[in-house]
Amino acid sequence: MNRYNRHIILSEIGQEGQDKISKAKVLVIGAGGLGCPVLQYLTAAGVGTIGIIDFDTVELSNLQRQVLFGTSSIGKNKAIAAKERLEDLNTDISIVAYPEILTYQNAIALFNQYDIIVDGSDNFETRYLVNDACIITNKPLVFGAIYKFEGQVSVFNYQNGPSYRCLFPDPPQKDAVPNCSDIGVLGVLPGIIGSMQANEVLKLILDLGNVLSGKLLCYNALTSATSTLKIKPNIITIQKVLDQKDRFNEQQINIGCSNDIHEISIYDIQLEDHFQYIDVRERHEEPKVITLNITSIPLSELEDHIETIDLTKKKLIFCQSGMRSKKALNLLKDLNIDDCYSLIEGATEINNYLKEHHKILSDER
């Protein structure tokens, strides 16, 4: 009664509404800029079961906006670090951490365990995966996105309402749109948009107010202006996803998605000296990968330093998030340079892998 007093004394919520909140099960995709405020407010509100899935680890650069974490969290898996912090915030609820990648193989089984899905991801591949899995499992999806100083919020797949694909039927090219690690983001913006997402979750649980279904709310942090766009359901697009649900556990559903980029995981290769490891981040960026013999060529300088590319070796290219390495791959492909692969993992995850597996290669002479 004391913890949730401010909810219970609201006539629109009361004890009955708080009981609904305590029985709800919500899965949050990503414990990053958007996921952190969503998780904080849903935990404080008393949502009975909260799932967190995130394979990434906390970095120093995250602390500018990912307010769940502190310096003691650096290097920890985000889902586990978030769970530790949230359990201190509210001991009355169940918090489940999934320190893994969301895939087409595990999404359906995972989503079936929850009532509402919240998308706090930062890439289009995951957004379309989350959307399609919500359609197949018939779960409402609370969507949020941020770009520099602007944010968007909507609720998809709610009571036969439109889906994310009704707004954006086809994914963009994989390297067409940068994320915040490439272009930056105002630190408070994820907090604003994430709080709006948490608000939509509570409205869904309580069946209260007007849910942002069929509407895309757009917010500009520089002008404080908001606008709302209407979204109409596209039955044909939704049906395409449903028609392919039998394939969901076998492979990705790539409706209109280009997938010609050669990507590889560091977990799927044996680190050898006959690879050339190319870091296309700017030279000042941290963390450095120091246990491999690294060739540093910032993406902005790549064309001017082609002579540093070793044509006798396979090239493994990486950056901070995988975005710039894909751009580098396309550029090298245009220059007819073969045997190039983009590492899915960024520098921090590569270091974690090297530390865990004690993979230290000798310098080439």
Side-chain angles (χ1 to χ4, degrees):
M1 289 292 292
N2 287 336
R3 180 183 290 274
Y4 306 117
N5 174 263
R6 300 305 190 273
H7 271 174
I8 294 171
I9 62 176
L10 284 170
S11 59
E12 294 86 352
I13 297 179
Q15 186 63 57
E16 182 180 353
Q18 189 59 47
D19 289 343
K20 289 181 180 179
I21 295 174
S22 68
K23 294 175 182 177
K25 298 179 180 181
V26 179
L27 176 66
V28 179
I29 312 298
L34 293 173
C36 282
V38 170
L39 288 165
Q40 281 181 300
Y41 277 104
L42 295 185
T43 297
V47 171
T49 303
I50 297 176
I52 314 164
I53 181 166
D54 199 319
F55 74 96
D56 202 4
T57 54
V58 181
E59 302 175 15
L60 180 62
S61 62
N62 298 150
L63 304 187
Q64 168 248 14
R65 64 201 175 280
Q66 298 178 18
V67 293
L68 262 181
F69 309 125
T71 53
S72 62
S73 306
I74 293 174
K76 292 184 179 180
N77 170 266
K78 287 184 178 179
I80 293 174
K83 172 182 167 69
E84 292 173 355
R85 172 68 183 91
L86 296 170
E87 285 179 335
D88 181 58
L89 176 59
N90 192 339
T91 59
D92 296 336
I93 67 174
S94 174
I95 300 172
V96 185
Y98 303 94
E100 59 193 76
I101 298 175
L102 182 71
T103 68
Y104 282 80
Q105 285 70 45
N106 63 16
I108 300 299
L110 187 58
F111 283 25
N112 276 328
Q113 301 176 45
Y114 293 88
D115 306 317
I116 299 169
I117 312 300
V118 182
D119 186 4
S121 63
D122 62 355
N123 64 86
F124 287 99
E125 293 92 338
T126 303
R127 286 176 189 167
Y128 282 89
L129 161 58
V130 172
N131 173 81
D132 295 350
C134 283
I135 290 175
I136 292 171
T137 57
N138 195 27
K139 303 293 182 179
L141 168 61
V142 179
F143 164 80
I146 52 176
Y147 182 83
K148 296 177 71 173
F149 300 98
E150 300 178 8
Q152 299 174 344
V153 184
S154 188
V155 176
F156 296 118
N157 202 46
Y158 174 66
Q159 295 183 348
N160 299 316
S163 75
Y164 182 66
R165 285 191 185 269
C166 298
L167 180 62
F168 302 113
D170 300 323
Q173 293 290 328
K174 284 192 174 184
D175 59 349
V177 181
N179 60 27
C180 69
S181 65
D182 297 316
I183 60 169
V185 64
L186 183 66
V188 299
L189 180 63
I192 296 169
I193 301 301
S195 296
M196 291 182 179
Q197 287 180 273
N199 185 50
E200 292 303 309
V201 172
L202 293 177
K203 285 158 62 178
L204 288 171
I205 295 171
L206 295 167
D207 192 20
L208 188 65
N210 298 318
V211 174
L212 278 174
S213 176
K215 294 171 283 188
L216 181 72
L217 188 150
C218 304
Y219 172 78
N220 186 311
L222 295 183
T223 64
S224 296
T226 59
S227 58
T228 304
L229 307 177
K230 291 184 178 180
I231 310 169
K232 293 183 178 180
N234 187 327
I235 304 302
I236 295 176
T237 298
I238 294 173
Q239 191 60 46
K240 282 183 179 180
V241 175
L242 293 173
D243 289 343
Q244 297 184 67
K245 65 181 180 181
D246 292 338
R247 299 169 54 211
F248 206 89
N249 290 325
E250 299 173 8
Q251 59 186 7
Q252 293 187 7
I253 301 174
N254 287 315
I255 301 175
C257 181
S258 173
N259 195 27
D260 58 358
I261 298 294
H262 291 83
E263 291 184 276
I264 193 168
S265 171
I266 196 169
Y267 295 93
D268 295 331
I269 63 174
Q270 291 185 344
L271 300 180
E272 303 287 351
D273 284 335
H274 61 257
F275 291 142
Q276 182 181 22
Y277 303 92
I278 303 175
D279 184 351
V280 294
R281 298 176 299 163
E282 296 299 317
R283 291 188 175 86
H284 66 271
E285 291 188 57
E286 299 287 344
K288 303 299 182 186
V289 177
I290 59 175
T291 55
L292 293 176
N293 186 37
I294 302 298
T295 302
S296 177
I297 317 175
L299 179 61
S300 59
E301 303 175 15
L302 189 58
E303 286 189 90
D304 297 328
H305 292 85
I306 293 300
E307 74 281 356
T308 61
I309 304 294
D310 190 337
L311 300 181
T312 67
K313 295 183 176 182
K314 290 184 178 180
K315 278 69 70 178
L316 300 182
I317 305 168
F318 68 92
C319 57
Q320 197 69 20
S321 65
M323 184 69 69
R324 283 171 286 180
S325 61
K326 294 172 191 174
K327 290 182 179 179
L329 227 61
N330 279 330
L331 178 58
L332 294 174
K333 180 180 178 182
D334 291 340
L335 295 171
N336 296 315
I337 297 178
D338 299 321
D339 287 332
C340 298
Y341 300 86
S342 172
L343 281 173
I344 296 172
E345 295 80 18
T348 299
E349 184 69 10
I350 293 171
N351 275 334
N352 290 339
Y353 172 83
L354 293 170
K355 181 179 179 181
E356 179 181 353
H357 292 81
H358 305 288
K359 301 285 188 179
I360 302 177
L361 302 184
S362 59
D363 291 340
E364 294 182 355
R365 301 299 181 186

